[in-house]
Amino acid sequence: MTDSLQPNGNRRTPLPPAEPPDPGAPGPRTEDTRSTQKAKAVSGKRRDAFFDNAKYLAIVLVAVGHFWEPIKGDSRAMEAAYTVVYSFHMPAFIIISGYFSRSFDMRPDRLRRLITGVAVPYIIFETTYPLFKRVVDNDPQQEISLLDPWYLTWFLCALFVWRLTTPIWKAVRHPLPLALGIAMLASVSPRIGDDLDLQRVLQFLPYFVLGLCMKPEHFRLVRRRSVRIAAVPVFAAALAFGWWAVPRMHTGWFYHRDSAQELGAPWWAGPVMMLAMFGCSVLLTACFFAWVPGRHMWFTALGAGTLYGYLLHGFVVKAGEYRGWFEPSVLHEPVGAVAVTVFAAVLVTFLCSRPVQRVFRFAMEPKMEWAFKRDAAQSARDREREPREKRDGHEERDGREKQETQETVSA
């Protein structure tokens, strides 16, 4: 055996020297490069500008609707605008909540997030609002009850229940028809009572389940230019119908907190109104989504703080009611209504800002590591056993859940 090169031997001829890569050509895709790009892609998907924009705009409508309530009086135009806003702003929040709950399961870390991000704020504000009434309204007899949601806190209670039932809706064959059936039965069941505001929990359930069933392409579908144009006459028709319906329709139908019998209607009107309002609300919500910008705007970052704006603006509304701030006649005139609308929008914008978030984070997003067990060894073993791609997928879903938990609220 020799070291000489043989034509048919086992030795290869030397490769030519490597040439420097073309500056315009892409470099080799190493494992580190792929990991970096995947990490960037995952981090980029954690927050979607469209959903943050939608939540901010919806929370502005929520605040405006609450400030309109004490000043609309007998104004038919304001009542019509009020009912149109109430027909879609809450369904929009709930659909987004369901959409971001698609990956929810009974994993311990997600249950902890549900407790700290929903249950704990509910307990805090369900206690704080009655105490606020005792002091500001001079009503020492005001009771504190965790079973009877006070004012805005019903949504947190409902979100807690809806999300816990997510695995059930993901398992059944036809979730949306089933949810609609439950809502229709609730609308004819006056004995459900006020505990945990179960009427609202059940009657708004179909919107949450609809969000669970939705996919990204559904939101892209309603954001087409043709849908944006069609939304103009749809909203105009809704306002016209709202004006016509003011003396003919009870506003309580839009709150979904009472049965048909409690609203003075025959029992069969409950299921009929449930289906009719579900169809109208979904249509107006689609039109609302069509107008929501998908790019980053000056208010996009505020979408992460809608929970703060939601729970805090209620104190200003209630203080105004207790102290008679809404009684001056000028506020019941068109100019006064415009001023109140602008004030509500500015107020809730401020309450969604980062400085307010830093001050009230202890109540809205408490850490509470001390309250939960921690098995670091098991977590490390699970992480080692889990493929890298699956881990990245969990991070993306966790980011979506945090985005939804921080705001997806309405009143």
Side-chain angles (χ1 to χ4, degrees):
M1 187 172 187
T2 64
D3 293 333
S4 61
L5 297 177
Q6 300 178 6
N8 299 316
N10 295 328
R11 288 290 191 91
R12 295 181 179 178
T13 57
L15 294 173
E19 296 181 359
D22 185 358
R29 289 179 59 86
T30 63
E31 183 64 28
D32 290 341
T33 302
R34 287 195 296 270
S35 300
T36 302
Q37 291 176 346
K38 183 178 291 184
K40 290 181 179 179
V42 168
S43 62
K45 293 180 181 178
R46 288 188 179 179
R47 297 210 67 89
D48 190 313
F50 167 76
F51 291 106
D52 277 334
N53 293 339
K55 290 190 296 181
Y56 167 76
L57 295 174
I59 200 63
V60 169
L61 293 176
V62 169
V64 168
H66 285 157
F67 276 90
W68 277 355
E69 188 168 357
I71 67 170
K72 57 188 177 67
D74 297 329
S75 172
R76 190 168 179 176
M78 284 201 66
E79 185 71 30
Y82 177 84
T83 54
V84 170
V85 167
Y86 262 74
S87 66
F88 74 88
H89 74 62
M90 203 156 37
F93 267 121
I94 298 172
I95 288 172
I96 294 175
S97 300
Y99 178 75
F100 281 103
S101 298
R102 293 172 301 159
S103 61
F104 181 84
D105 52 28
M106 294 300 174
R107 224 172 66 183
D109 59 329
R110 288 178 177 148
L111 288 174
R112 288 195 294 269
R113 188 178 298 121
L114 180 63
I115 292 172
T116 57
V118 179
V120 172
Y122 170 77
I123 294 172
I124 292 175
F125 284 88
E126 181 66 10
T127 304
T128 306
Y129 268 109
L131 291 176
F132 182 78
K133 188 177 191 304
R134 286 186 180 185
V135 175
V136 179
D137 197 28
N138 193 23
D139 184 9
Q141 304 302 321
Q142 176 61 47
E143 295 182 355
I144 298 175
S145 173
L146 296 181
L147 296 179
D148 187 9
W150 175 267
Y151 194 36
L152 305 176
T153 58
W154 74 267
F155 184 80
L156 296 178
C157 178
L159 183 60
F160 186 86
V161 175
W162 292 333
R163 192 166 287 176
L164 279 181
T165 62
T166 295
I168 298 176
W169 302 112
K170 292 165 64 178
V172 299
R173 188 180 297 272
H174 303 293
L176 186 56
L178 178 58
L180 280 170
I182 293 174
M184 288 188 291
L185 288 175
S187 69
V188 297
S189 304
R191 294 192 177 184
I192 288 180
D194 297 328
D195 289 349
L196 299 180
D197 229 342
L198 283 180
Q199 276 288 0
R200 276 177 162 170
V201 173
L202 298 178
Q203 291 193 35
F204 277 114
L205 175 63
Y207 301 100
F208 181 81
V209 176
L210 175 61
L212 285 176
C213 298
M214 293 186 69
K215 298 178 180 179
E217 52 265 31
H218 295 139
F219 289 97
R220 290 195 293 268
L221 185 65
V222 301
R223 293 164 59 193
R224 295 180 302 175
R225 176 180 174 82
S226 58
V227 180
R228 288 198 297 270
I229 296 174
V232 177
V234 170
F235 265 110
L239 287 170
F241 179 81
W243 186 88
W244 174 86
V246 166
R248 299 173 175 86
M249 184 176 176
H250 198 297
T251 309
W253 289 109
F254 296 93
Y255 302 144
H256 292 286
R257 65 186 177 198
D258 298 302
S259 65
Q261 296 91 323
E262 291 172 304
L263 293 174
W267 69 268
W268 54 263
V272 172
M273 289 297 295
M274 185 70 240
L275 288 176
M277 296 196 67
F278 179 78
C280 293
S281 295
V282 170
L283 176 62
L284 291 178
T285 299
C287 293
F288 168 72
F289 285 151
W291 287 348
V292 172
R295 63 186 184 278
H296 279 268
M297 308 289 289
W298 64 267
F299 54 80
T300 300
L302 300 174
T306 48
L307 178 63
Y308 296 80
Y310 172 73
L311 291 174
L312 295 175
H313 87 275
F315 289 104
V316 181
V317 176
K318 286 300 179 182
E321 293 179 357
Y322 300 154
R323 295 299 186 181
W325 297 346
F326 299 108
E327 293 178 1
S329 58
V330 66
L331 297 181
H332 299 259
E333 298 174 358
V335 175
V338 171
V340 170
T341 302
V342 173
F343 173 79
V346 172
L347 173 68
V348 79
T349 299
F350 168 72
L351 294 177
C352 291
S353 64
R354 292 191 181 276
V356 175
Q357 292 182 42
R358 285 194 293 268
V359 173
F360 291 96
R361 183 167 286 121
F362 73 95
M364 311 287 191
E365 303 175 74
K367 297 298 182 181
M368 295 184 63
E369 289 89 350
W370 53 268
F372 303 102
K373 295 180 179 179
R374 184 178 181 182
D375 188 352
Q378 183 63 38
S379 299
R381 286 193 297 268
D382 291 342
R383 183 170 291 274
E384 286 294 327
R385 194 163 52 242
E386 197 173 35
R388 180 183 299 273
E389 292 81 3
K390 190 174 181 181
R391 264 205 322 270
D392 290 342
H394 282 324
E395 291 174 1
E396 177 182 342
R397 289 193 296 271
D398 290 346
R400 289 199 306 264
E401 279 188 356
K402 184 176 180 182
Q403 177 179 5
E404 191 280 331
T405 299
Q406 290 176 335
E407 251 275 351
T408 71
V409 295
S410 82

